[in-house]
Amino acid sequence: MDDFLKKFFPAVFEKKHHALENNYCKYDNQFLQLFTSCLYLAALIASFVASKVCSKYGRKLSMQIASIFFIIGVILTAGGINIEMIIFGRIFLGFGVGFANQAVPLFLSEIAPPNLRGALNISFQLFITIGILVSNLINYFTTNVHPHGWRISLGIAGVPALMLCLGSILICETPTSLIERHKVEEGRKVLRKIRGVENVDDEFDSIIHACEMAKQVKDPFRKLMKPVSRPQLVISICLQIFQQFTGINAIMFYAPVLFQTVGFGNDAALLSSVITGLVNVFSTVVSIYVVDRAGRRILLLEACVQMFISQVIIGIILFKELKTTGDNLSKGEAIFVVISVCTFVMGFAWSWGPLGWLIPSEIFPLETRSAGFAFAVSTNMLFTFIIGQAFLSMLCQMQAGIFFFFAAWVIIMGAFTWFLVPETKGVPVDAMVDKVWKQHWFWRSFMIEDDRPDVKVV
C-alpha cells in the first residue's frame, strides 16, 4: 500500500512511481524484504524453544503462548510509528508462528484416528489458506482507506489471535501428551472423550507403550542423529526445503507485486491475489477429500508435473514479452499469467502445502516426535526466511529466469518423492517403523534395532 510505503519505505515508493522504473526491480529493497522475512527467522528460533515446551508442558500451553506472542505482535505492527517498531512486531508474530506451527500439527495428529489423520491434519493447512484469502480481501478493501488503511489491515490480525487465545483455553490436552507427563488416568479419560467410546484399551495400551519407549530416551535430539532416525529426519527436512523451493511463498507473499509487474494496477493486483487465495482454499479442500483415499505419494508426484508446467509457461511469457523497462504485458498475456499462477497454486495447495506438514507430523516415533518436528518447523522457517529475504532481489537480477530456477527444483523434488518418500496412508503413527521403514527398499537398511546406546536397558 502506498501509504505504508511512504511512511516506512519512501525509497521504494519513489522507485515504484518513477517514470522509467525497471519492471522487475521496482520493489527491490532489503529493508522491505526484511520486514517480510524477519517473521520467519524469529519463528525458526522459537520452534526449538517450543519443542521443549511442547514436550514438558503440553500442546495446549504451547498454543496459548503462541496466541500471546501474536497479540503483542499485532499491537506493535498496527500501532507502529517507525520501522524498528514494526520489525519488532513482526518478530513477535514470528515467535507466535514458531510455537503454533510446532504445537498444532502435533495436536491434530495425536487426537485423530488413523483413518482420518490425513484429512484432519490438512485442516490445519486449509485454515491457513482461508486466513491468506481473508487477509487478501481485507487488504483489497482497505487499500483505499487513507492514510491508515494499512493499520486496519495489520490490526484486524488481532481477531484470530484472540480466537486462538480463547480456543486454546477451551480445548483438551492430547492423551499422548498427558500420558507422557505422567497423567495416565486423565489421558485415558480424554481418549474416551475424543473417541466417543468406553473401550479404548488397544489404543491406550499403544500410547502407554510408546510413552514407555520415549521415557527410555535420555536425549531426543541426540537420538535424531542416530541411523534409525535418519529416514524420518531426512524426509522431514527435505520436504520443508522443497516446499519453499517450489516458489510458493515467493508467489503468495508478493502476488500483488508480481501482478503489478506484469501490468495490473494496484487494486487489480490485490484482486488477483484474492483470486489466487480462493484457488488456494478450494484446492486444499480437494486434498482433505483425496489424501486418505489416494494417498500421499500420488498427490506429491502429480503436483510436481502441474507446478513444473505452470512455472515454465510463466517464465516463457515473461521472458519473451516483459522487457526490463517500458510497456507491461498485454491484457490477454497478463490474464494468462494469472491463470498459470492459479494452476501452480492449485497443484501446490493439494499436495506440497498440506503434506509438507502432515508427513513430518506422522512419521516420527513418540520419543523423537517433538524434537523431530522442531527440525521440520525450523527448516521450513529458515528457508521461508531465505526465499522471503531474497525473492525481490532474485526477481530483479534473474528477471523471468527466476521461474525456470523454481521449475528446476520441482524436477529434483519429484525425483526425491519417487525414490525416497514411502506411502503412509492409513498406517498408525506408532506402527510406522514396522509397516513403513522396514519395508522400504532404501530406508530399511537404517532400521538397526540394537543401535540405541542412548536408551537405558530395563
Side-chain angles (χ1 to χ4, degrees), residues 100-156:
N101 274 4
Q102 176 71 23
V104 176
L106 292 180
F107 177 88
L108 293 173
S109 286
E110 290 175 352
I111 66 169
N115 62 316
L116 295 176
R117 188 177 64 243
L120 185 60
N121 209 296
I122 288 176
S123 68
F124 172 64
Q125 180 72 15
L126 172 64
F127 282 95
I128 288 177
T129 64
I130 291 173
I132 293 169
L133 172 61
V134 172
S135 69
N136 285 332
L137 285 168
I138 291 169
N139 288 340
Y140 178 70
F141 287 112
T142 60
T143 187
N144 291 317
V145 179
H146 302 291
H148 296 305
W150 64 271
R151 291 191 189 275
I152 298 172
S153 289
L154 295 175
I156 290 176

Side-chain angles (χ1 to χ4, degrees), residues 22 40 82 97 145 199 202 216 289 322 355 390 396 410 421 442:
N22 186 311
Y40 298 95
N82 53 49
V97 169
V145 179
N199 186 3
D202 288 345
Q216 296 177 25
Y289 180 79
L322 185 65
L355 297 181
C396 180
V410 171
V421 178
F442 181 75

Side-chain angles (χ1 to χ4, degrees), residues 18 22 46 59 61 64 71 105 163 174 202 222 228 256 260 304 392 445:
H18 196 278
N22 186 311
R59 287 50 164 155
L61 180 64
Q64 291 170 351
I71 292 168
M163 290 172 65
T174 70
D202 288 345
R222 185 181 174 196
V228 73
Q260 285 185 57
C304 284
L392 293 180
S445 62

Side-chain angles (χ1 to χ4, degrees), residues 245-246 303-305 307-308 311 406-415:
F245 277 92
T246 60
C304 284
V305 176
M307 291 189 297
F308 176 79
Q311 294 271 33
F406 287 129
W409 276 97
V410 171
I411 294 175
I412 295 170
M413 54 203 270

Side-chain angles (χ1 to χ4, degrees), residues 336-348:
F336 196 72
V337 168
V338 172
I339 292 171
S340 297
V341 168
C342 288
T343 304
F344 169 82
V345 170
M346 189 183 302
F348 178 87

Side-chain angles (χ1 to χ4, degrees), residues 83 105 120 128 133 157 165 184 206 212 226-227 235 239 270 290 313 323 328 334 351 356 383 405 416 418 458:
I83 192 171
L120 185 60
I128 288 177
L133 172 61
C165 184
V184 178
S206 175
E212 290 298 324
K226 300 292 182 182
I235 288 174
L239 285 179
L270 287 171
V290 173
I313 289 174
K323 306 307 177 186
N328 301 117
S351 62
F383 282 88
F405 170 80
F416 178 86
W418 181 268
V458 294

Side-chain angles (χ1 to χ4, degrees), residues 245-287:
F245 277 92
T246 60
I248 184 63
N249 271 336
I251 286 176
M252 296 304 287
F253 286 171
Y254 301 113
V257 176
L258 178 63
F259 292 140
Q260 285 185 57
T261 297
V262 299
F264 288 91
N266 189 50
D267 289 356
L270 287 171
L271 182 59
S272 299
S273 299
V274 171
I275 294 170
T276 58
L278 282 168
V279 171
N280 203 8
V281 171
F282 288 118
S283 300
T284 307
V285 172
V286 171
S287 182

Side-chain angles (χ1 to χ4, degrees), residues 13-326:
F13 177 79
E14 291 298 325
K15 189 189 295 186
K16 175 183 175 183
H17 292 278
H18 196 278
L20 296 176
E21 67 183 4
N22 186 311
N23 282 322
Y24 290 101
C25 298
K26 62 178 83 174
Y27 291 97
D28 181 21
N29 180 279
Q30 286 298 310
F31 283 109
L32 181 60
Q33 293 176 119
L34 181 62
F35 169 74
T36 299
S37 59
C38 66
L39 183 152
Y40 298 95
L41 189 61
L44 185 161
I45 297 167
S47 63
F48 285 101
V49 179
S51 170
K52 295 288 188 182
V53 174
C54 256
S55 294
K56 192 169 183 179
Y57 300 106
R59 287 50 164 155
K60 179 175 177 174
L61 180 64
S62 298
M63 285 186 265
Q64 291 170 351
I65 293 171
S67 69
I68 293 169
F69 280 132
F70 283 136
I71 292 168
I72 296 172
V74 168
I75 292 170
L76 289 173
T77 52
I81 57 175
N82 53 49
I83 192 171
E84 291 81 9
M85 191 170 173
I86 62 169
I87 287 179
F88 271 112
R90 291 283 290 181
I91 289 171
F92 273 98
L93 292 172
F95 291 155
V97 169
F99 271 81
N101 274 4
Q102 176 71 23
V104 176
L106 292 180
F107 177 88
L108 293 173
S109 286
E110 290 175 352
I111 66 169
N115 62 316
L116 295 176
R117 188 177 64 243
L120 185 60
N121 209 296
I122 288 176
S123 68
F124 172 64
Q125 180 72 15
L126 172 64
F127 282 95
I128 288 177
T129 64
I130 291 173
I132 293 169
L133 172 61
V134 172
S135 69
N136 285 332
L137 285 168
I138 291 169
N139 288 340
Y140 178 70
F141 287 112
T142 60
T143 187
N144 291 317
V145 179
H146 302 291
H148 296 305
W150 64 271
R151 291 191 189 275
I152 298 172
S153 289
L154 295 175
I156 290 176
V159 175
L162 289 170
M163 290 172 65
L164 178 62
C165 184
L166 294 173
S168 60
I169 293 171
L170 296 174
I171 59 171
C172 60
E173 184 58 88
T174 70
T176 300
S177 180
L178 289 167
I179 295 168
E180 187 180 25
R181 292 181 289 126
H182 312 294
K183 300 179 181 180
V184 178
E185 286 308 311
E186 190 178 347
R188 187 196 295 270
K189 182 180 177 182
V190 170
L191 187 60
R192 285 173 177 161
K193 179 180 179 181
I194 63 176
R195 295 292 178 258
V197 296
E198 282 298 311
N199 186 3
V200 292
D201 291 346
D202 288 345
E203 186 174 0
F204 180 76
D205 291 342
S206 175
I207 295 172
I208 288 285
H209 176 71
C211 288
E212 290 298 324
M213 293 295 293
K215 287 177 191 174
Q216 296 177 25
V217 177
K218 300 176 187 176
D219 186 348
F221 284 98
R222 185 181 174 196
K223 174 70 182 288
L224 278 175
M225 300 300 110
K226 300 292 182 182
V228 73
S229 298
R230 197 72 44 79
Q232 302 96 316
L233 188 62
V234 168
I235 288 174
S236 295
I237 289 175
C238 287
L239 285 179
Q240 301 305 318
I241 294 172
F242 291 148
Q243 189 187 72
Q244 297 313 307
F245 277 92
T246 60
I248 184 63
N249 271 336
I251 286 176
M252 296 304 287
F253 286 171
Y254 301 113
V257 176
L258 178 63
F259 292 140
Q260 285 185 57
T261 297
V262 299
F264 288 91
N266 189 50
D267 289 356
L270 287 171
L271 182 59
S272 299
S273 299
V274 171
I275 294 170
T276 58
L278 282 168
V279 171
N280 203 8
V281 171
F282 288 118
S283 300
T284 307
V285 172
V286 171
S287 182
I288 289 175
Y289 180 79
V290 173
V291 67
D292 288 317
R293 292 172 172 83
R296 283 66 162 151
R297 274 173 55 87
I298 189 68
L299 286 174
L300 293 173
L301 292 168
E302 183 280 333
C304 284
V305 176
Q306 186 171 331
M307 291 189 297
F308 176 79
I309 293 172
S310 301
Q311 294 271 33
V312 169
I313 289 174
I314 295 169
I316 289 173
I317 292 174
L318 297 188
F319 182 77
K320 290 180 63 178
E321 305 296 339
L322 185 65
K323 306 307 177 186
T324 303
T325 59

